[in-house]
Amino acid sequence: MASPVLHVKDAYYFEVPKSLWPRDYQSLDAVPAYLREGHPEATLEEFNYELSGKILIPQPFGELKNLYQAESGFCISKLMVVELFVALLVGGVFIWLAKRGSTISRPTGRRHNILEAFVSYVRDEIAKPAIGNHDADHFLPYLLTAFFFILACNLIGMVPGLGTVTSSIEVTSGLALVTFGIGLISGIKHLGVGGYLLNFAPDLGDSLLLQPIRLLIFLIEILGLIIKHAVLAIRLFGNMIAGHLVLAGVLSAVVATASTNWWGTAAFFGVLGATALSALEILVAFIQAYVFTMLSALFIGMSIHKH
């Protein structure tokens, strides 16, 4: 039985029910070379058993070491494909919304009204309170992109076999780094380099005795800025991977009892638990998209205003 960790780990294949992809290699030469080299003792039957139900992703720009590690070059992983799909999906939806909004005076239809409601909520309840009415619209495109990208990634991650992009620390770190970069550049643009740096050092007067304390506060604030953005990435990553690990663990427990007399009871409670956890994960998907966007807006607002 596969470890539950493998079900949330990035890989270089998509997993589907074996009945939908019963791939059988006719000879060992047909098996990818990196798999044969990694398992030289395996037989053709063993390869067919392990690879049945796995759609291997073609790698035209790199070579693999195994199904989970790259050897060289640029290798395309499952989460990369899903991430690209989500980006195209979100982009397509909002291109449609923008074109529709330019031709009609008010929202019409369910899809238009739902999207307008989300956009209005992010603008009025997240961006403006955190950044201010004057500057909120300038940062709204990024905040909307972050919110809907994270939300779509979280929800698509509920589809079996696709994987949750936001359960990868590399992805969440990249998002947090974008927030940090926007805050840094915008802060310098609004306040100047000196004003931005002085924002981290409170005015304690002209006394020389207080200057070491001011320097210490400055260093603590700089460290705090870095920690806040690191936590922004870790929070999203931790929440998304934890739920899927628990879900995978529950289902793995059901599989572990398949050869015992308790399989019926385990299956009943496993399906019940998995259903409840899946419903909770949908709620978490919305909450985490909101939290990331809200904190990003707060951090940007703190960077461009004196305090």
Side-chain angles (χ1 to χ4, degrees):
M1 182 178 64
S3 167
V5 177
L6 298 182
H7 294 282
V8 296
K9 183 179 180 181
D10 197 7
Y12 294 98
Y13 65 87
F14 285 95
E15 195 165 9
V16 298
K18 293 184 178 181
S19 59
L20 299 179
W21 189 261
R23 178 66 182 269
D24 285 332
Y25 294 96
Q26 301 303 316
S27 66
L28 282 174
D29 291 336
V31 178
Y34 62 88
L35 293 176
R36 297 199 310 270
E37 294 170 1
H39 305 277
E41 73 289 347
T43 64
L44 179 61
E45 290 74 16
E46 290 173 330
F47 277 123
N48 281 327
Y49 177 79
E50 289 296 329
L51 296 177
S52 181
K54 290 182 173 65
I55 303 176
L56 304 185
I57 300 173
Q59 303 296 336
F61 310 113
E63 296 182 359
L64 297 179
K65 183 177 182 180
N66 52 50
L67 292 176
Y68 301 96
Q69 294 176 299
E71 181 69 32
S72 61
F74 178 77
C75 296
I76 304 170
S77 71
K78 173 176 65 176
L79 294 187
M80 290 180 186
V81 176
V82 175
E83 193 173 4
L84 178 61
F85 171 76
V86 170
L88 293 174
L89 176 64
V90 173
V93 167
F94 280 92
I95 289 173
W96 170 84
L97 181 65
K99 289 182 178 179
R100 185 177 175 85
S102 64
T103 57
I104 59 177
S105 58
R106 61 185 181 85
T108 57
R110 293 180 180 178
R111 286 178 297 174
H112 195 170
N113 275 282
I114 289 174
L115 289 171
E116 284 284 352
F118 275 107
V119 170
S120 297
Y121 183 84
V122 172
R123 181 191 62 199
D124 299 333
E125 302 298 329
I126 297 178
K128 288 185 177 180
I131 302 175
N133 294 338
H134 182 266
D135 298 303
D137 287 344
H138 180 70
F139 299 100
L140 190 59
Y142 168 67
L143 296 176
L144 287 172
T145 301
F147 177 81
F148 283 101
F149 178 78
I150 293 171
L151 178 61
C153 287
N154 293 348
L155 293 177
I156 286 179
M158 297 298 298
V159 179
L162 289 185
T164 307
V165 172
T166 45
S167 66
S168 169
I169 189 64
E170 291 87 354
V171 173
T172 59
S173 297
L175 291 169
L177 189 61
V178 172
T179 296
F180 175 79
I182 290 175
L184 177 64
I185 295 172
S186 300
I188 293 174
K189 182 179 178 181
H190 280 72
L191 305 174
V193 177
Y196 179 76
L197 292 176
L198 288 175
N199 222 13
F200 297 100
D203 186 4
L204 300 179
D206 298 328
S207 174
L208 293 177
L209 296 176
L210 295 177
Q211 298 314 305
I213 298 177
R214 190 183 188 191
L215 176 60
L216 181 61
I217 294 175
F218 173 80
L219 296 176
I220 291 174
E221 287 291 332
I222 293 293
L223 181 61
L225 178 68
I226 297 172
I227 291 174
K228 283 188 293 187
H229 287 84
V231 171
L232 185 65
I234 295 171
R235 177 188 286 107
L236 177 59
F237 157 74
N239 277 281
M240 297 315 301
I241 198 172
H244 288 277
L245 278 174
V246 172
L247 186 59
V250 169
L251 296 177
S252 297
V254 175
V255 177
T257 61
S259 59
T260 68
N261 295 328
W262 295 94
W263 70 269
T265 303
F268 173 78
F269 285 105
V271 171
L272 186 64
T275 302
L277 286 170
S278 296
L280 181 62
E281 280 294 292
I282 294 175
L283 178 62
V284 170
F286 282 87
I287 291 174
Q288 291 307 313
Y290 166 77
V291 169
F292 187 96
T293 308
M294 179 192 66
L295 291 177
S296 293
L298 285 173
F299 296 161
I300 292 171
M302 293 170 62
S303 295
I304 65 173
H305 297 125
K306 291 184 179 180
H307 56 84

